[in-house]
């Protein structure tokens, strides 16, 4: 009869961790990752629970509470027409995060597909797709977004579409560069020799080796998308009133410089969200960096 297995031997027979669990452990293993995750989790929770947490309606006007400073009744004060600033900041979180998720998600999907096609086909298709992407990159990000919204019209959906278009070329060029390198790899050549179709090669053999860098780029681009949305709303080309938006609230608040709370609190929300996204993006980049794998343990 054999005795109990030694702890060291038992540890060696444990199931290996999945790649996702390892990446998550590395992200949460750094203080930047923990800070970004906690702050974003709080902001997302506040946005989702805004209908229940908000002490007032974000759009109702109170004629007896115009431009009131922070108080026990209104923690963040009220705006120029008596709307509760705290309620509008909470509801604005949903709008701002919705823009980031939709815009970056659409840019990631469209840009990655274009990059895969361009890098795999090469030749005229590669030249055509890349010249179009270069044309987009020739404009500053905010100028291009403003131009697109000016053509489509000021609206939340159009603002998200404009941000997605401005971020799409970055994804396309990143994926194309990776595909140009990987299509000469031995396992890709072997798959071609075995008769595998291009679609299977791209999404079975190439995409898994590209997705890590794409996720990292997407996480780092999220903060830029939020800033662009805030700038569009600041200029009146993003979210339209009375829907609360942090950028629009800042734009309105600076017109009433004596009522500092009207722009300070939505500006603080933008600052914390962008800071958290940047920290989380750095942590994701480090987690996917194979050279730093050992240091994250």
């Amino acid at each position: 009869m054999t005795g109990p297995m030694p702890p060291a031997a038992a540890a060696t027979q444990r199931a290996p961790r999945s790649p996702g669990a390892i990446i998550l452990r590395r992200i949460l293993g750094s203080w930047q990752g923990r800070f970004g995750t906690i702050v974003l989790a709080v902001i997302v929770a506040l946005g989702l629970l805004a209908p229940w947490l908000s002490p007032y309606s974000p759009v109702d006007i109170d004629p007896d509470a115009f431009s009131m400073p922070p108080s026990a009744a209104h923690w963040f004060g009220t705006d120029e027409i008596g709307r509760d600033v705290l309620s509008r900041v909470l509801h604005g979180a949903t709008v701002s995060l919705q823009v980031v998720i939709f815009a970056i998600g659409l840019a990631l999907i469209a840009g990655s597909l274009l990059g895969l096609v361009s890098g795999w086909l090469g030749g005229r298709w590669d030249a055509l797709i890349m010249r179009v992407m270069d044309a987009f990159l020739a404009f500053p990000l905010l100028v291009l977004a403003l131009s697109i919204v000016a053509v489509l019209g000021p609206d939340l959906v159009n603002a998200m579409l404009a941000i997605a278009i401005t971020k799409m070329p970055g994804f396309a060029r990143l994926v194309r560069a990776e595909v140009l390198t990987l299509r000469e790899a031995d396992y890709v050549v072997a798959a071609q020799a075995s008769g595998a179709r291009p679609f299977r090669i791209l999404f079975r053999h190439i995409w898994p080796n590209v997705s890590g860098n794409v996720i990292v780029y997407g996480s780092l681009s999220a903060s830029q998308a939020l800033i662009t949305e805030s700038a569009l709303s600041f200029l009146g080309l993003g979210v339209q009133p009375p829907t609360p938006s942090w950028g629009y609230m800042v734009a309105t608040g600076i017109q009433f410089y004596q009522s500092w709370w009207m722009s300070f609190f939505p500006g603080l929300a933008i600052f914390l969200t962008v800071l958290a996204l940047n920290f989380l993006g750095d942590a994701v980049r480090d987690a996917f960096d194979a050279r730093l794998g050992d240091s994250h343990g």
Side-chain angles (χ1 to χ4, degrees):
M1 181 176 180
T2 59
M5 183 179 297
T12 58
Q13 293 189 3
R14 291 175 184 170
R17 296 179 180 229
S18 65
I22 295 175
I23 293 297
L24 181 61
R25 181 168 175 261
R26 291 176 181 174
I27 293 174
L28 298 179
S30 64
W31 71 267
Q32 297 98 326
R34 290 192 296 271
F35 176 85
T37 301
I38 292 172
V39 172
L40 286 178
V42 170
I43 293 174
V44 170
L46 292 176
L48 293 176
L49 298 176
W52 297 276
L53 295 177
S54 300
Y56 303 92
S57 168
V59 297
D60 287 350
I61 299 173
D62 185 355
D64 297 324
F66 289 171
S67 300
M68 290 183 59
S71 62
H74 300 278
W75 289 3
F76 287 4
T78 61
D79 63 11
E80 76 282 3
I81 56 176
R83 296 174 297 192
D84 183 65
V85 174
L86 173 59
S87 301
R88 291 180 63 78
V89 168
L90 291 175
H91 283 80
T94 304
V95 175
S96 297
L97 293 175
Q98 179 183 355
V99 170
V100 171
I101 294 173
F102 176 86
I104 295 300
L106 180 59
L108 187 153
I109 294 172
S112 297
L113 288 175
L114 288 174
L116 287 171
V117 172
S118 177
W120 182 259
L121 294 181
R124 294 181 179 178
W125 284 106
D126 181 33
L128 174 62
I129 294 174
M130 285 300 102
R131 295 301 75 77
V132 173
M133 296 299 103
D134 290 341
F136 285 133
L137 291 173
F139 295 91
L141 187 148
L142 183 56
V143 173
L144 179 58
L146 287 171
S147 302
I148 295 173
V149 174
V151 173
L152 299 178
D155 180 69
L156 175 60
V157 175
N158 292 339
M160 291 189 290
L161 182 60
I163 296 171
I165 292 174
T166 61
K167 299 305 300 179
M168 179 179 63
F171 286 99
R173 293 183 67 87
L174 172 65
V175 174
R176 171 186 177 271
E178 295 287 340
V179 173
L180 289 175
T181 301
L182 293 174
R183 71 179 184 180
E184 305 298 333
D186 293 340
Y187 59 90
V188 174
V189 175
Q192 289 180 286
S194 65
R197 295 183 177 180
F199 183 87
R200 178 180 177 84
I201 295 174
L202 285 173
F203 290 96
R204 180 70 180 272
H205 300 285
I206 293 181
W207 174 250
N209 294 288
V210 176
S211 58
N213 290 333
V214 173
I215 293 173
V216 171
Y217 183 78
S219 64
L220 294 173
S221 300
S223 60
Q224 297 177 356
L226 177 59
I227 293 174
T228 304
E229 184 277 327
S230 300
L232 290 175
S233 297
F234 182 90
L235 297 172
L237 296 176
V239 178
Q240 298 300 299
T243 304
S245 167
W246 292 342
Y248 183 80
M249 292 173 67
V250 172
T252 303
I254 62 175
Q255 301 177 30
F256 303 89
Y257 59 92
Q258 293 181 336
S259 302
W260 57 267
W261 56 88
M262 291 173 54
S263 58
F264 173 78
F265 290 110
L268 180 62
I270 295 173
F271 170 77
L272 290 176
T273 305
V274 171
L275 185 66
L277 287 170
N278 283 332
F279 278 1
L280 185 58
D282 289 340
V284 171
R285 179 195 59 199
D286 292 345
F288 275 97
D289 192 339
R291 294 172 298 176
L292 299 179
D294 294 338
S295 64
H296 286 282

